[in-house]
Amino acid sequence: MLILISDAFDKSLPGKLSAFGEVTDDKSRLKDADVVLIRSKTKADRAYIDQAPNLRLIIRGGVGMDNVDKEYCKEKGIIAVNTPKSSAIAVAELAFSLMISVPNHIPYYDSTMKKGEWMKNTKRTELYGKTLCLLGMGNIARQVAMRAKAFGMNIVAYDKYVEKSDLAEMRSLEDAVKDADYISMHLPFTPETDKMLSASLISKMERKPVIINTGRGKCVDEQAVAAALKDGSISWFCTDVYSAEPPAADNPLFGCENVTLTPHVGANSVENLLRIGEEVCETIEKCIKEGRI
C-alpha cells in the first residue's frame, strides 16, 4: 500500500503510517497511491482523482469536505472521510479568543501602547450576561458553547439538523440572530449555506453584533459584511476563513475598520495536528480490518 501525504501534517505521522505500508510526500506519485491524505490546500476534484487509478481512500485531515468531490468518489468506489473530532478544541479556542479580544480591545490597546499612547479611558465591556448565537451546533460549536457557559453567557443556536441541545436554546435562523450580541459561525459549505450571512440576514440583527467566522468563508457574503461594518449594522467582524484563499488584494474586508483577520489557522495547533494524525491512523486501521482497502 502506498500512502501519499499531500499536505502539511505533524512530522511524526509518516513514522506512524509506515506500519501500514510505504509513505511518501512526493506528489508525482499520486498515480500509484492507494491512500491520499489532504488538508485544505489540495483540491481532490474530478481531475485530481482521475490521476490516481489505484486510489481507494481519501482522508481529509480536519472538518470541512468542500475540497473533496464526494459524489465522484462514491461513483469511483473511493472512500472519502474527514477527521471530524480532532479539530474541535483548536478551532473553538481560536473562535473564542477572537470573540473575547473584541470587547477587551486587545488589538487597539496593543497598537496604541506601541505608539506610546496610554488609552486608559477606553472602556472595556464584558462577555458575562451577553447573548451568544451559534450558527451550526456540531463538535466545534459545542466546544465554544462550553466555554461561553463558563463566562456566564446566554447561548442560543440554529442548526437545521439539531432540534435540541443541552448547551443552547435552539431557534429558527432569524430568531437566533435577532437579539444576539455575538454570533459565531460553524457551518459547512453547502448550497443552502452559500452566503448565508447576507444583507437580508444582517437586517434581522437588532443588537449590531460582533460576528466571528471560523467555519467556511463562502458562507459569508463579504460585500454585505463590508457594507454592514461601514453603516454600523454590525459592530465587528472576525474571520479566519475567506471566500477565496488566500484572499485577493481587493477583498472588501481589507478596506474596513473593526475587523480582525487571521490566515485560516484554526486547526493549526500543535496538539490538533497530533490528534489529526491519531485519527488518520485509526481510520486506515479500521478500513483495513473491514477489508475496504
Side-chain angles (χ1 to χ4, degrees):
M1 180 189 300
L2 178 62
I3 302 170
L4 170 62
I5 302 177
S6 186
D7 290 333
F9 287 78
D10 186 77
K11 292 180 180 179
S12 67
L13 185 57
K16 295 175 182 177
L17 293 174
S18 63
F20 304 113
E22 183 183 357
V23 183
T24 183
D25 60 3
D26 182 355
K27 296 181 182 181
S28 69
R29 300 190 66 189
L30 174 62
K31 64 182 184 301
D32 302 315
D34 301 284
V35 178
V36 171
L37 310 183
I38 67 172
R39 293 189 66 207
S40 59
K41 187 174 181 178
T42 297
K43 310 304 177 186
D45 56 14
R46 184 180 291 256
Y48 182 89
I49 293 167
D50 281 343
Q51 297 177 60
N54 297 333
L55 189 58
R56 291 179 285 167
L57 172 64
I58 297 175
I59 304 178
R60 197 293 200 197
V63 179
M65 290 287 283
D66 43 291
N67 59 327
V68 179
D69 190 332
K70 293 185 291 183
E71 290 301 317
Y72 194 53
C73 285
K74 185 176 180 180
E75 181 182 324
K76 299 281 285 187
I78 297 168
I79 303 165
V81 295
N82 59 1
T83 58
K85 296 179 181 179
S86 56
S87 299
I89 292 173
V91 179
E93 286 194 1
L94 178 65
F96 205 81
S97 66
L98 289 170
M99 182 166 63
I100 199 171
S101 73
V102 175
N104 286 288
H105 304 302
I106 301 300
Y108 175 72
Y109 287 145
D110 178 66
S111 64
T112 53
M113 284 293 291
K114 289 173 180 175
K115 295 175 185 176
E117 300 173 5
W118 187 253
M119 307 304 292
K120 189 174 177 64
N121 290 333
T122 303
K123 295 295 185 285
R124 299 162 46 241
T125 58
E126 300 173 357
L127 294 181
Y128 180 82
K130 304 300 190 301
T131 296
L132 168 64
C133 166
L134 297 167
L135 298 183
M137 202 57 199
N139 292 320
I140 297 170
R142 287 184 60 83
Q143 291 289 336
V144 174
M146 291 166 61
R147 287 153 179 76
K149 275 192 174 295
F151 273 70
M153 301 185 79
N154 305 311
I155 308 168
V156 300
Y158 164 78
D159 190 313
K160 180 180 178 180
Y161 303 101
V162 179
E163 293 183 0
K164 295 182 180 180
S165 172
D166 58 328
L167 292 170
E169 176 189 337
M170 303 305 297
R171 297 182 179 178
S172 68
L173 177 59
E174 291 186 3
D175 284 344
V177 303
K178 182 180 178 182
D179 57 358
D181 300 292
Y182 295 85
I183 297 172
S184 191
M185 301 180 64
H186 304 282
L187 299 164
F189 177 67
T190 67
E192 185 176 30
T193 63
D194 187 6
K195 294 185 178 179
M196 178 180 279
L197 182 59
S198 62
S200 175
L201 186 61
I202 291 170
S203 71
K204 307 297 191 299
M205 302 173 187
E206 297 182 354
R207 296 191 182 178
K208 301 178 181 179
V210 174
I211 302 177
I212 303 99
N213 186 19
T214 53
R216 285 292 173 262
K218 291 182 180 179
C219 297
V220 172
D221 183 334
E222 291 168 339
Q223 291 286 355
V225 168
L229 285 165
K230 290 173 181 177
D231 69 21
S233 300
I234 59 178
S235 62
W236 203 283
F237 184 66
C238 306
T239 191
D240 188 47
V241 290
Y242 306 86
S243 59
E245 295 187 356
D250 62 353
N251 186 295
L253 297 176
F254 290 154
C256 297
E257 297 181 359
N258 294 5
V259 295
T260 305
L261 310 175
T262 54
H264 202 157
V265 293
N268 281 11
S269 74
V270 171
E271 296 86 350
N272 181 51
L273 291 177
L274 287 169
R275 285 192 295 266
I276 287 174
E278 290 169 1
E279 200 165 346
V280 164
C281 291
E282 289 169 4
T283 299
I284 293 174
E285 185 174 14
K286 181 180 178 182
C287 287
I288 291 171
K289 286 182 178 178
E290 293 176 350
R292 302 174 73 188
I293 60 172

